[in-house]
Amino acid sequence: MTNSEELDSGDVRTIRRRMSFDRDHPHYKWIVLTNTTLGVLLSAINSSIVLISLPAIFRGVGLNPLEAGNVSYLLWILMGYLLATAVLVVMFGRLGDILGRVRVYNMGFTVFAVSAVALSFDPWDGGHGAMWIIVWRVIQGVGGAMLMANSSAILTDAFPAKQRGTALGINMVAAVAGSFLGLLIGGVLAEWDWRAVFWVSVPIAVIGAVWSYRSLHEVGIRSEGTLDWAGTITFGIGLTALLTGITYGIQPYGEAATGWTNPWVLGAVLGGLAVLGVFCVIESKVADPMFHLGLFRVRAFGFGNFANLMASVGRGGMQFMLIIWLQGIWLPLHGFTFESTPLWSAIYMLPLTVGFLGAGPLSGWLSDRYGPRAFTTGGALLAAVTFVLLLLIPVDFNYWLFALIILLNGVGSGLFVSPNTAAIMSSVPAAQRGAASGMRGTLFNGGNALSMGIFFSLMVVGLASTIPSALDSGLRAQGVSPSAAAQVADMPPVSSMFAAFLGFNPVQELLGPTGELARPGVNADTLTGQEFFPHLLTGPFHSGLVVVFLAAAVMLVLAAIASFFAGNERGQDEKEELLAATQQEKDPVPAR
């Protein structure tokens, strides 16, 4: 709540209830912080844990993810969880306002625990086994949406204004760091057993569920009203269609390298946008909307959420590109087998996580004292600069220079995320914090989902203009027949990208079915060695990298501009907030 805003009766009740709880239970807010951080961390880890472990998962269920008929399985295992969380967080945030935020949050832990158990006991192989994973990953995403939609609101209710930046900062650091830690955890566990990727969530989810049911209480208030079904349905359909269309835009269509000429993809994207437009009309007219669009007229909320979306898309794109860069090129050139690159790419990306973990809590604490603008604006600009720096180093880089750049990127992201979240959540009335937290979560998770479709498509477009000729000439130079070389060169660039992304030997996968590797005169050892494909991919990959990282840098610059205009207002001191609340009771003034 800012100094310029009046408090309504709901805010008054929230403040007094929280202060009473602080007096009677002085450690309660720290219990809230610990539990919600565990919930958000668990949800975030599971958003990325399958990225590194996909090869082991597909081997476990007996499917080749690079076969044309299996690409949809691959995409939905990657995207099902993200889609569910992105689509449902607003609805669960609104339900939290109506039914109680702690109640919905607790249900989220329960759903997450049940789905984690089901995922760890996949009873089938082949396509049925993949579908079992997809369905339960979507259900797990429902639980994750319940957790993420209400955690920020529960924290905002429990903490006084002067400590919200620190508390929300720690919580959001867990949310973003979890996506990085998921890569490392998935890589390590997949080396042991692919089911362990899902086993790891079972005890944490069960403990978190029991703990949350026993320890958390409804400190905030509930808003009267019912769920806006028209808004909920149109929002769900519109966002699902939009994100699904963007996801399938990655796949080739006909002679095109991507699916953006596919009528179904275009129909899904345009139709999704149209339905979201209908959603906005509905929300502006219904008496009890799922989300109060008028909140976007609050400067800190509107600009802060736009910055949140831009930063989320840019950050997600970098994660995917760094994995492909390390797994497809750098690690093989430095002696790592293709099969081992998923794990080692996660290890070599640790400076990114370290930078984020170091800067995130500190920036939250400092923003409580000095305001959020310097940290959100400066952090986004620093992250944008690191994207440009990544373009200036060679594809076969010196690791310590690379490590320094991604460390600075993590610092920039950490500086941005904590104050941005605190500013957004402190700018809204207490009765609407669940819905506000849900919208912030939608943009955060939706940005991650958008980034995959956008940046994969940009990379494929960049590769499409250069990799076919490089493949054709490179294969012929090693004795491959012109017809076979042309056949492989004509394959969609996404095949090479997915092979590198999944830790497969790309030439072995692309050329093996042709029988050329067994033909006399073909240098099979060279073609399937550690260096042939990485050297071949270096030039084309850099062309795609330029497009991707420049786009990401532009998004972070836009996030910095929006952060600057969001303002620098901080929450009131707790005593000032109570005085304002008391004055509000004596002399009511309609809330703006």
Side-chain angles (χ1 to χ4, degrees), residues 9-40:
S9 59
D11 296 317
V12 173
R13 293 196 298 274
T14 297
I15 294 165
R16 293 195 160 176
R17 191 181 305 179
R18 185 184 63 233
M19 293 190 71
S20 174
F21 225 87
D22 282 346
R23 286 192 296 269
D24 297 337
H25 308 276
H27 301 300
Y28 175 70
K29 60 189 175 185
W30 303 113
I31 294 173
V32 171
L33 176 60
T34 308
N35 187 275
T36 57
T37 298
L38 176 66
V40 167

Side-chain angles (χ1 to χ4, degrees), residues 190-474:
E191 291 290 308
W192 172 37
D193 191 305
W194 71 271
R195 296 178 190 272
V197 173
F198 304 116
W199 290 339
V200 68
S201 297
V202 175
I204 301 174
V206 171
I207 291 170
V210 173
W211 183 21
S212 66
Y213 272 103
R214 290 176 60 89
S215 303
L216 300 188
H217 306 278
E218 294 289 356
V219 177
I221 64 167
R222 302 178 189 179
S223 63
E224 297 179 359
T226 58
L227 189 64
D228 168 25
W229 285 109
T232 299
I233 293 170
T234 52
F235 182 79
I237 292 174
L239 191 58
T240 299
L242 175 63
L243 295 179
T244 301
I246 290 173
T247 299
Y248 277 94
I250 299 171
Q251 293 194 63
Y253 176 72
E255 299 296 323
T258 64
W260 290 103
T261 56
N262 186 336
W264 289 105
V265 169
L266 293 175
V269 172
L270 296 177
L273 290 173
V275 175
L276 288 175
V278 173
F279 162 76
C280 292
V281 173
I282 291 172
E283 295 303 278
S284 66
K285 295 184 179 300
V286 297
D288 193 20
M290 180 178 72
F291 185 75
H292 296 274
L293 296 177
L295 288 178
F296 280 104
R297 291 195 292 268
V298 178
R299 185 174 61 171
F301 188 84
F303 281 109
N305 270 302
F306 178 77
N308 172 37
L309 175 63
M310 291 294 99
S312 182
V313 174
R315 186 169 52 245
M318 180 200 65
Q319 187 180 78
F320 294 126
M321 292 307 108
L322 291 186
I323 291 172
I324 295 171
W325 193 349
L326 289 168
Q327 292 183 192
I329 299 177
W330 195 84
L331 287 169
L333 287 177
H334 290 259
F336 293 86
T337 63
F338 284 101
E339 292 76 15
S340 69
T341 56
L343 171 61
W344 284 102
S345 68
I347 293 173
Y348 275 85
M349 285 173 62
L350 276 177
L352 184 67
T353 307
V354 171
F356 189 88
L357 290 175
L362 180 62
S363 68
W365 178 73
L366 290 173
S367 70
D368 284 334
R369 301 186 61 185
Y370 303 109
R373 176 186 281 165
F375 303 99
T376 53
T377 305
L381 287 175
L382 176 59
V385 169
T386 60
F387 282 118
V388 177
L389 292 177
L390 286 170
L391 292 176
L392 299 179
I393 63 176
V395 175
D396 187 12
F397 49 77
N398 176 285
Y399 176 71
W400 295 111
L401 179 59
F402 174 83
L404 176 61
I405 294 173
I406 63 173
L407 174 71
L408 291 175
N409 186 281
V411 170
S413 295
L415 289 174
F416 171 85
V417 166
S418 303
N420 172 263
T421 304
I424 290 171
M425 292 304 301
S426 293
S427 68
V428 300
Q432 296 178 19
R433 283 175 184 158
S437 177
M439 180 56 74
R440 188 204 59 78
T442 290
L443 295 174
F444 178 82
N445 293 317
N448 286 331
L450 283 170
S451 67
M452 178 176 289
I454 292 171
F455 286 107
F456 262 121
S457 294
L458 287 174
M459 176 58 77
V460 169
V461 169
L463 289 176
S465 61
T466 51
I467 198 169
S469 60
L471 263 176
D472 185 63
S473 59

